[in-house]
Amino acid sequence: MEWARFHKTDESGRHYFQTYSFPYAWAAATPVEPGTGRISEAAALAYSIISAAGWQWQTPCHCVECTIAAKSAQHATS
């Protein structure tokens, strides 16, 4: 399986990664987007839906900005 991860921001400004998995052969046969070296998010989404083994998931971002925001929120609630 191949996977593609895309950096996103939700409505509240929090960053996260949207990740899609799909068969490697499909990724190898798909043209890459210029400048990125990877398939488009639309293709990754479609492949993850079409493939019986495909998955989609979100993981939190741990960049400096997100880490500071998370720590601030944690201290505000404690």
Side-chain angles (χ1 to χ4, degrees), residues 19-60:
T19 308
Y20 306 96
S21 70
F22 42 86
Y24 178 77
W26 294 5
T30 304
V32 296
E33 289 192 322
T36 66
R38 64 182 181 184
I39 68 172
S40 70
E41 184 172 8
L45 172 61
Y47 289 169
S48 71
I49 293 170
I50 295 168
S51 171
W55 287 94
Q56 303 174 33
W57 66 95
Q58 293 180 0
T59 54

